[in-house]
Each structure stands twice: as C-alpha cells, then as structure tokens.
Amino acid sequence: MIDKITGLQGLKNLRILSLGRNYIKSFSGLEAVGETLEELWISYNLIEKMKGINSLKNLKVLYMSNNLVKDWAEFDRLKELPHLEDLVLENNPLQLRYNSWRDWCLQGVLPRLPCLTKLEGKPTVEAKTSEEPSADAERDSMDDVIHGHGQEQGHHPHLAASDRQPEPQVFDQPEPDQPLDED
C-alpha cells in the first residue's frame, strides 16, 4: 500500500494517474506532473485536506470518493482548478450531509464550481432541469409499480436508468474441464 506520492519526476507526459485504495493522506508529490495530469483517480484513501491540489493546473477529472473531506474550506480549493469538469466526491463526510444528489449538486457544489459538467457520474444539467418529485407523485408512482397499471413487471417510466436494477452481465470464461490458455 502507498502512503505517500513519490517518484513522478520523470513522467513529464503523464495524463492519467490511478492511486485508488491506498493510504494516501495528501496531494504532496504531484507537483512533478502538475502541468500534464488531466485525470486523477484517488478514491478510497485517507485524504482530508486538499492542500496541494492547486498544482494540478490541467486537471479535468478528479475521482476521490470515499476519502475524509469534511470541510467546505477544503472543498473550495478545487476552485483553483480552472479545467475541472468531472468530479466524484461521494461518500466523503462533506457529501454525506446532503439527503440527495440534487441537493448536493445545486446547494453545495455548483454554487462553488459552476463550470462542472459531471458530478458523481451524472451530468449536472440533470440537477438543474429536473424537479424533486412531490410526496403525492412519489406515492402514485409506487402505486403504479405495485399494481402494474399496464407497465411491464419491474419497469417504471419515471425511474432513471440508474435507479433500475442493472442487466446481468455474462463474461466469457473457460469451461471447467478446459485448461487455461497460458500464452
């Protein structure tokens, strides 16, 4: 497991860096790739403070879910990233204060980062154009699902694709009695 970012000095053309699932606590060490790095995947670490993020002047994508960011003052350091367009910060204490993605987006993130086009994997325009369903509409929708009302079993037109169960995926695997091809 990595606990510090080091050894990036010779990687002058690095555009994407994946450091997820480590014990990293800071952005220190990324300065060497600050001019070229466009995507940083650093989820599942121990980052609480955003100090040093400003060295990543060309960063467009920042995936840092499941870290320890809890203060707006730290979040506001992201304003120093002029090209940031795609952010994943879910399951950080700061994000967990919000009851919905829409509230997190409209009340928390977009007022601070208005140029962001994706948040938590969803286009931010969805938060701007959709309305929260009323309690009556939600109840009617659930009634339609429960009683069928002409809909396919398990399908409901008002549920976003992300709210539906994913389609099962089938992967090609060798038959149990066949030896693995070891090229």
Side-chain angles (χ1 to χ4, degrees), residues 97-116:
R97 295 179 194 169
Y98 290 83
N99 292 324
S100 71
W101 172 80
R102 187 172 188 270
D103 288 348
W104 164 239
C105 188
L106 293 178
Q107 297 169 14
V109 176
L110 285 183
R112 291 169 170 85
L113 299 173
C115 293
L116 211 60

Side-chain angles (χ1 to χ4, degrees), residues 3-101:
D3 60 357
K4 293 180 185 173
I5 302 170
T6 60
L8 301 179
Q9 293 77 13
L11 305 173
K12 298 294 182 193
N13 296 317
L14 188 66
R15 291 183 34 245
I16 300 172
L17 180 60
S18 178
L19 293 169
R21 298 189 185 273
N22 283 291
Y23 295 115
I24 297 169
K25 295 181 181 178
S26 76
F27 292 100
S28 179
L30 289 172
E31 302 83 4
V33 293
E35 295 298 318
T36 59
L37 198 66
E38 295 178 4
E39 296 187 22
L40 178 59
W41 306 349
I42 197 161
S43 295
Y44 293 93
N45 275 284
L46 303 172
I47 299 171
E48 182 178 344
K49 305 290 183 191
M50 306 287 278
K51 183 179 178 186
I53 192 82
N54 62 330
S55 69
L56 305 175
K57 294 296 183 193
N58 287 307
L59 199 67
K60 296 177 183 176
V61 175
L62 178 60
Y63 296 159
M64 63 174 292
S65 67
N66 299 283
N67 274 280
L68 303 173
V69 179
K70 62 183 176 186
D71 299 321
W72 281 115
E74 294 303 321
F75 179 93
D76 285 344
R77 292 179 189 260
L78 296 175
K79 293 177 184 178
E80 299 177 46
L81 303 176
H83 303 289
L84 188 64
E85 57 191 37
D86 184 353
L87 176 65
V88 174
L89 207 71
E90 63 191 342
N91 293 324
N92 276 267
L94 183 62
Q95 182 269 332
L96 294 172
R97 295 179 194 169
Y98 290 83
N99 292 324
S100 71
W101 172 80

Side-chain angles (χ1 to χ4, degrees), residues 132-149 156 158-159:
E132 290 287 331
S134 69
D136 291 337
E138 192 74 27
R139 189 172 41 257
D140 291 346
S141 294
M142 288 310 297
D143 188 52
D144 287 347
V145 170
I146 292 168
H147 298 296
H149 293 289
H156 192 273
H158 299 293
L159 294 178

